[in-house]
Amino acid sequence: MTESLTGSCHCGAVRVTIPAAPDYINDCNCSLCMTRRAIWGYFSPRDVKVSGETHRYIRSDLPEAALGTHWCANCGTTTHWAAFDPAYDRMGVNMLLFAPETYADVEIRAVDGKSWNG
């Protein structure tokens, strides 16, 4: 059985625990992902533990908001995104919170989000 992995923001105030490295990581070039500086691993929200205070940003430039992007209330490091619909069994975790060797063998996919959502 794989041991869970814990990463943290720059100051250590927010910690995120995931069950294992993700199957793949998305490196998206949309304006949000580029300015928040995040690469996303995906998990069921039931399998992720987030501790510490975060703030949430909801995009206002899309026809309908579907998720909130979270970051550390102290240092500003992007930590994760969570969907508003509880039936959506997926959340994104910023894999940059973890040591690079944690995901060294994981495929990183370049996603052209800029062409579909800015």
Side-chain angles (χ1 to χ4, degrees), residues 58-95:
I58 301 168
R59 287 183 76 153
S60 61
D61 61 336
L62 299 176
E64 184 177 342
L67 58 89
T69 305
H70 294 254
W71 67 92
C72 173
N74 187 50
C75 70
T77 301
T78 300
T79 56
H80 65 287
W81 63 256
F84 299 140
D85 181 354
Y88 189 66
D89 190 38
R90 179 170 155 155
M91 71 181 287
V93 172
N94 186 0
M95 294 307 296

Side-chain angles (χ1 to χ4, degrees), residues 75-117:
C75 70
T77 301
T78 300
T79 56
H80 65 287
W81 63 256
F84 299 140
D85 181 354
Y88 189 66
D89 190 38
R90 179 170 155 155
M91 71 181 287
V93 172
N94 186 0
M95 294 307 296
L96 296 175
L97 302 176
F98 301 85
E101 58 269 17
T102 300
Y103 54 87
D105 296 329
V106 177
E107 175 190 6
I108 298 179
R109 301 175 180 174
V111 175
D112 186 17
K114 188 173 188 174
S115 51
W116 49 268
N117 76 359

